[in-house]
Amino acid sequence: MSELINRVTGEEKSLNFLEEIIEESIKKGEKRILTRFPPEPNGYLHIGHAKSICLNFGLARKYGGATNLRFDDTNPVKEDVEYVDSIKEDVHWLGFDWAGEHYASDYFDQLYEWAEELIRKGKAYVDDQTQEEIRQGRGTVTVPGTPSPWRDRSVEENLDLFRRMRAGEFPDGAKVLRAKIDMAHPNMLMRDPIMYRIIHTEHHRTGNKWCIYPMYDYAHGQSDSIEKITHSICTLEFDVHRPLYDWFIQELGIFPSHQYEFARLNLTYTMMSKRKLLQLVQNKVVMGWDDPRMPTICALRRKGYTPESVRAFAERVGVAKRDNVIDLSLLEFCVREDLNKVAERRMAVVNPLKVVITNYPEGKTEQRQCINNPENPDAGTRLVPFSREIYIERDDFMEEPPKKYYRLSPGKEVRLRYAYLIKCEEVIKDGKGEIVELRCTYDPMSGDGSSSDGRKVKGVIHWVSVPHAEKVELRLFDTLFTKEDPDDVEEGKTFIDYLNPNSMIIKTGYLEPSLKEAKVGDKFQFERVGYFCMDKDSTSSLLVFNRTVGLKDSWAKMQGK
Ligand code: ATP
Ligand code: MG
């Protein structure tokens, strides 16, 4: 944890291990660092991908290189143009530009030729075994595999069969092309891995041109090599694939890209598997991929996160060689820190309680001058109307307050932010004993922050003028899951069983009238309430705001600050 604190406070200046690797390769003569971000277009990008994007683009930027965006579109069954578009939008939004936009499918011809080359070298063969037979024949970590009965086919027969696979003569699953490596290799992935399988499915880019598709392991390294990627950075679980990555490149004698692994980002209360996220969307558990409770980049954007805050988060998380779990509160810390600097302040009441100021003239409206952002004098001021009837927060009144309650209570005074001191004279209740209104008086001499006789009043509360108020739907979000690790499920349960029933609470509140001018995506700090962002569901009759994050910093608290 102390390492992390150092990152948060920015004290750790030493190079991370990937920077060390890159500096080493520059010393050895590497002229231009070229990295790539290789998403599979089978879902929307999430915060884990954001980490990978910031890392790949950030390293290239730091060392004067460039980064390609490559769609790893080798599985036509799950992929879609919708995802391609969203991925491009998200990378741009994060603030990065790619040097080349590539598709693994653009390399299908080249990959095919190389596959024939491996067949001719006796390094690949067509296998007729079923998927199950192949799996069983692989052996186990302790038991060597058994060679396929088709392993020693002649080059001519292999070439003929592979060409006929391509020509569409065989149904799905009838045959595969396998690399001929070593069925007793200690690394199971080296036991004659599958290079191609038959899938009679239209591809979103190549249409029906192909009915054989390369596997990840055969496509990825070769794609890197075609693009002359110098540093192919991926997550830790691919370290066992590295010998295979190197094997193909070596056997083909092509540009020697190299793979390096770092620990994937894990966040508490967050699930990042695209397959499971898709399930949430399809089962309408959430409003869509951009539901603010999702860990996707588009959801963070909709919730009110800024690209700066996501980049700062990626930076603070750093790169690790071992798997770890980052506390969600660090992400929230980062957005709060950024919004504190850039978001203008406004007044909004979430749980309204009406207050009538009995000695304030009826029908009078005055404009109170309010500071837009105390962190940024350039943000200036705005005028907010004040009148005889206002809403305050229900929580800011207590009929029987405990000691040290400095807000409003019967007979006590409180300051209205940017306005007057008011004193509670009377509590009005309905038939059920519920408080429906407060009658207060105000000190007309207290409008400049003082009081008529030098009284000191500790509490300050926010307010919105009733006749000027704009009604708003406020969406208050909590984590989507109740479990710190939603992937760690008990027997007989699935992640669905750990959904948080209170992950979205909807309140009807009131806003100061200046917010009528707000546009979708605008971000504010509602004073004393939290950071909010205007949602796309807003209509001319009802504004909708999402709570990005509350004001309380649980991250700093955890660090003992
Ligand atoms: P899934 O298995 O859920 O489909 P994936 O991780 O395989 O997701 P890809 O589209 O293949 O998704 O990932 C693109 C890039 O993003 C890869 O280089 C991958 O290593 C990286 N990446 C994905 N998830 C994370 C994560 N949690 N932390 C860091 N990098 C990640
Ligand atoms: Mg993947």
Side-chain angles (χ1 to χ4, degrees):
M1 199 47 101
S2 68
E3 214 186 326
L4 204 52
I5 295 172
N6 286 343
R7 284 193 209 110
V8 170
T9 54
E11 283 158 24
E12 194 191 51
K13 290 280 188 297
S14 58
L15 298 179
N16 67 46
F17 78 95
L18 289 170
E19 291 168 336
E20 278 172 10
I21 288 169
I22 290 180
E23 296 205 354
E24 198 55 38
S25 48
I26 290 171
K27 265 188 221 149
K28 283 188 189 145
E30 191 72 74
K31 294 219 168 42
R32 184 164 180 258
I33 301 303
L34 191 58
T35 60
R36 87 287 172 263
F37 174 64
E40 188 181 347
N42 62 350
Y44 282 67
L45 298 181
H46 53 59
I47 183 72
H49 295 116
K51 168 69 214 167
S52 174
I53 292 166
C54 292
L55 186 60
N56 278 297
F57 283 87
L59 283 171
R61 188 178 276 179
K62 175 167 178 180
Y63 292 102
T67 305
N68 284 349
L69 176 60
R70 179 185 334 127
F71 292 98
D72 190 0
D73 56 349
T74 50
N75 184 353
V77 182
K78 294 185 293 178
E79 295 161 4
D80 210 310
V81 188
E82 173 196 351
Y83 300 131
V84 170
D85 294 341
S86 76
I87 289 168
K88 289 200 266 186
E89 183 183 358
D90 289 347
V91 176
H92 269 147
W93 179 77
L94 277 174
F96 299 109
D97 273 316
W98 45 90
E101 176 182 329
H102 300 289
Y103 295 79
S105 56
D106 291 344
Y107 309 138
F108 281 174
D109 283 300
Q110 176 68 78
L111 292 171
Y112 178 86
E113 273 173 43
W114 281 336
E116 284 207 356
E117 189 177 324
L118 289 174
I119 293 174
R120 278 192 295 270
K121 283 178 72 178
K123 299 286 185 179
Y125 62 96
V126 172
D127 193 347
D128 298 1
Q129 291 183 108
T130 63
Q131 216 179 342
E132 183 53 25
E133 285 165 342
I134 291 175
R135 204 184 54 77
Q136 288 193 352
R138 278 244 159 83
T140 66
V141 184
T142 46
V143 180
T146 22
S148 163
W150 313 105
R151 196 171 196 261
D152 292 317
R153 277 179 158 146
S154 68
V155 168
E156 291 67 35
E157 192 183 357
N158 279 320
L159 270 182
D160 174 59
L161 288 172
F162 187 49
R163 286 172 186 166
R164 287 164 57 194
M165 275 169 69
R166 179 192 183 166
E169 280 190 34
F170 310 111
D172 287 10
K175 293 183 182 350
V176 293
L177 183 74
R178 294 178 76 174
K180 195 170 179 177
I181 306 179
D182 179 357
M183 285 307 288
H185 202 285
N187 180 339
M188 302 274 292
L189 289 174
M190 299 293 275
R191 295 183 188 174
D192 293 9
I194 296 172
M195 294 166 59
Y196 274 91
R197 67 255 200 254
I198 302 172
I199 307 178
H200 289 272
T201 296
E202 191 169 300
H203 185 278
H204 70 102
R205 280 177 69 83
T206 56
N208 290 309
K209 178 172 175 195
W210 297 90
C211 61
I212 54 170
Y213 290 93
M215 300 295 288
Y216 170 89
D217 281 317
Y218 180 63
H220 202 89
Q222 278 56 261
S223 301
D224 284 344
S225 180
I226 290 169
E227 293 173 23
K228 297 196 163 50
I229 300 297
T230 56
H231 296 75
S232 177
I233 299 163
C234 61
T235 43
L236 223 47
E237 66 275 19
F238 286 97
D239 67 341
V240 289
H241 296 248
R242 191 174 354 109
L244 186 51
Y245 182 104
D246 293 339
W247 188 88
F248 282 124
I249 284 180
Q250 217 160 12
E251 289 298 329
L252 292 166
I254 55 180
F255 180 86
S257 295
H258 289 287
Q259 178 188 299
Y260 304 92
E261 307 89 22
F262 73 105
R264 67 191 296 118
L265 172 72
N266 298 302
L267 262 186
T268 56
Y269 298 100
T270 308
M271 198 187 58
M272 292 196 218
S273 150
K274 279 190 275 189
R275 185 177 54 81
K276 292 181 188 167
L277 294 176
L278 178 64
Q279 234 173 299
L280 294 176
V281 173
Q282 285 175 338
N283 297 340
K284 302 214 170 0
V285 172
V286 292
M287 298 180 278
W289 282 101
D290 66 350
D291 184 302
R293 292 164 293 180
M294 293 279 274
T296 51
I297 296 176
C298 56
L300 290 170
R301 176 163 65 234
R302 183 172 173 191
K303 199 174 178 186
Y305 274 70
T306 57
E308 291 78 9
S309 63
V310 178
R311 291 202 303 265
F313 171 71
E315 180 68 28
R316 281 178 164 139
V317 165
V319 283
K321 278 192 203 177
R322 264 177 301 129
D323 276 319
N324 57 3
V325 183
I326 303 293
D327 204 285
L328 184 60
S329 62
L330 178 61
L331 180 62
E332 295 180 341
F333 169 89
C334 292
V335 72
R336 197 180 287 114
E337 189 182 53
D338 188 39
L339 291 177
N340 180 46
K341 281 186 280 181
V342 301
E344 292 200 355
R345 275 51 169 174
R346 293 292 183 269
M347 287 201 280
V349 172
V350 179
N351 286 310
L353 174 60
K354 193 168 154 187
V355 171
V356 179
I357 303 165
T358 52
N359 61 337
Y360 193 88
E362 267 183 67
K364 177 176 169 179
T365 299
E366 60 179 296
Q367 302 292 334
R368 305 297 306 179
Q369 193 171 40
C370 303
I371 294 168
N372 281 335
N373 186 352
E375 302 288 322
N376 174 17
D378 293 342
T381 60
R382 70 189 184 287
L383 296 174
V384 177
F386 181 81
S387 69
R388 191 169 189 266
E389 295 190 355
I390 57 172
Y391 291 120
I392 66 165
E393 217 62 75
R394 232 159 229 285
D395 285 354
D396 284 337
F397 174 78
M398 272 185 101
E399 201 170 12
E400 286 164 37
K403 264 192 184 157
K404 297 201 172 167
Y405 183 82
Y406 297 120
R407 291 171 271 169
L408 199 59
S409 55
K412 291 279 164 53
E413 270 187 313
V414 77
R415 173 161 301 281
L416 296 175
R417 180 96 166 125
Y418 294 117
Y420 302 98
L421 293 174
I422 57 167
K423 182 175 178 181
C424 176
E425 310 282 0
E426 195 185 343
V427 181
I428 315 279
K429 297 182 182 176
D430 65 10
K432 286 179 253 153
E434 183 100 12
I435 300 170
V436 288
E437 190 181 302
L438 301 178
R439 298 273 162 93
C440 294
T441 51
Y442 85 119
D443 176 352
M445 305 301 286
S446 63
D448 60 357
S450 65
S451 62
S452 53
D453 59 1
R455 306 185 303 286
K456 291 268 179 293
V457 173
K458 267 197 174 163
V460 181
I461 64 172
H462 60 277
W463 51 273
V464 170
S465 164
V466 173
H468 306 94
E470 178 74 10
K471 208 171 181 178
V472 65
E473 176 177 319
L474 297 168
R475 297 181 178 168
L476 310 181
F477 301 106
D478 196 355
T479 56
L480 192 52
F481 296 99
T482 51
K483 204 165 189 297
E484 198 168 297
D485 180 1
D487 286 308
D488 171 30
V489 299
E490 279 169 45
E491 223 181 291
K493 294 194 171 183
T494 72
F495 65 96
I496 299 286
D497 294 305
Y498 299 99
L499 283 168
N500 175 4
N502 299 316
S503 58
M504 177 166 73
I505 290 174
I506 295 182
K507 300 264 187 193
T508 302
Y510 291 99
L511 305 173
E512 62 167 77
S514 73
L515 286 162
K516 278 180 209 165
E517 314 298 323
K519 291 187 283 300
V520 174
D522 281 356
K523 298 162 184 64
F524 301 96
Q525 183 197 97
F526 292 166
E527 295 209 31
R528 302 180 62 239
V529 178
Y531 292 99
F532 283 78
C533 177
M534 186 159 138
D535 192 72
K536 63 178 186 183
D537 287 347
S538 297
T539 63
S540 52
S541 53
L542 183 65
L543 297 182
V544 178
F545 274 81
N546 298 320
R547 182 169 69 191
T548 313
V549 68
L551 294 175
K552 215 171 74 210
D553 183 357
S554 52
W555 170 255
K557 210 164 147 196
M558 264 172 41
Q559 308 305 304
K561 284 182 197 160

